[in-house]
Amino acid sequence: MRRESQVVSKRTASLAIKLSALAAVALLSGCSLFSSKKEVNPPAALVEFKQTLRTQTVWTASVGKAGVFQFSPVFAGGSVFAAGADGAVVRLNASTGQTVWRVNAGSSLTAGVGSDGNVIAVVGEKGVVQAFDGNGKSLWKAQAPSEVLSAPVVGSGLVLVRSIDNRVTAFDAENGTRRWTVLRPLPALTLRTAPGIVLDSQTAYVALPGGRLSALALNNGGPRWEVAVGDPKGTTELERIADVSGVPGLGVRDVCAVAYQGRIGCFDVANGNVRWVKDFSSESGLTLDDRFVFSADDKGGVTEFARDTGAALWRNAKLAYRRLSPPIAVGKAVAVGDYQGYIHFLSRDDGSFVARTSTDGSPIQVTPIAAGQAVVFQTQAGTVVALAAE
């Protein structure tokens, strides 16, 4: 069944896509939309400190460069799945990093990976969605309404994608049949980033341009609730960009999200009621654990919030303008990647530096994932690395 919740004109959608394409180059290259030869806010130099935390590179693997796109790894069924822009899709043993299988999708990719361990989904050029089974065998291909930059998500027998025209489409995970489509309003100007989707057994929580977080019923795409994480403000279109960033963080009773030029907060999964919100701006997103929410703001400050109250417990401002990934908890530390491929480890107690490691020198932009006792980062050059902290 196809469900159209709102209609926008072709002219408006086309303008928004063209404008977002301008922002794409800016964001992915780390420059402002109207760049100059001299950076207005140069990245902070790395500070020296005494390393007090022992870290370990558990394994590394290579999947292929991301190019101008963002590819996020996913952990499911005891494996890490990853993809690259050249069409490579890999399944890695989460404990050893050993390649279980590696296939080529047959075309360039723009988004990936989504998996529940049994179905693996990626998206190619012109919005072609492709699914593989757990052994890497191609299952089906289907057509999304337009280009897709956000990683698909797989669960409850569905593969969900959000295309850049702001349609959320659900495909049957077994055969690729389109089950429903929902169209949400598209602002005139957006960041060309990859806001994500998370699922529970009945609901998809979708991060959207315009600062909205939408909860959709998995059975038919019907809206359960929608909240404003960031309300567009200002007099110019640039000032009014307030897109939700990264992948929402999902708990048992709450879902948390952050917006660029907006707010960070947690909301009740049942009805969207606000548990807490704080003024905050992030281009990358957030992660959470049982007690805390972690995010890097657009100035490069890393903050730990109390998940129950939203109280800011500490902020490390010494990574200013280093274009950080979302931070993630690992052992007694919080790890965050930067534009030079460094991964910084901060104390969970006060945010001070406790360790640092390097990868391949390319930017780390996407949300890292937890895989057992390790955390996994993927660089723009295609290195997938699992790290542990003792």
Side-chain angles (χ1 to χ4, degrees), residues 187-207:
L189 184 62
T190 70
L191 295 175
R192 190 177 162 93
T193 53
I197 305 172
V198 291
L199 308 179
D200 61 22
S201 61
Q202 297 181 328
T203 306
Y205 304 91
V206 186

Side-chain angles (χ1 to χ4, degrees), residues 274-344:
V274 175
R275 294 201 166 194
W276 60 267
V277 292
K278 301 281 186 179
D279 287 339
F280 198 81
S281 177
S282 174
E283 297 174 2
S284 60
L286 55 71
T287 66
L288 51 82
D289 65 10
D290 291 342
R291 298 176 56 197
F292 306 109
V293 177
F294 311 97
S295 188
D297 62 47
D298 55 8
K299 294 180 176 59
V302 180
T303 303
E304 177 185 89
F305 297 90
R307 185 166 156 187
D308 56 352
T309 65
L313 302 178
W314 53 255
R315 181 176 185 267
N316 182 315
K318 295 181 179 180
L319 296 170
Y321 301 105
R322 293 189 64 85
R323 299 191 289 277
L324 304 179
S325 74
I328 188 170
V330 50
K332 298 179 180 180
V334 176
V336 61
D338 74 10
Y339 80 109
Q340 291 183 315
Y342 287 103
I343 298 173
H344 309 269

Side-chain angles (χ1 to χ4, degrees), residues 22 26 31-36 238:
L22 292 175
C31 302
S32 65
L33 187 59
F34 304 103
S35 61
S36 61
L238 283 174

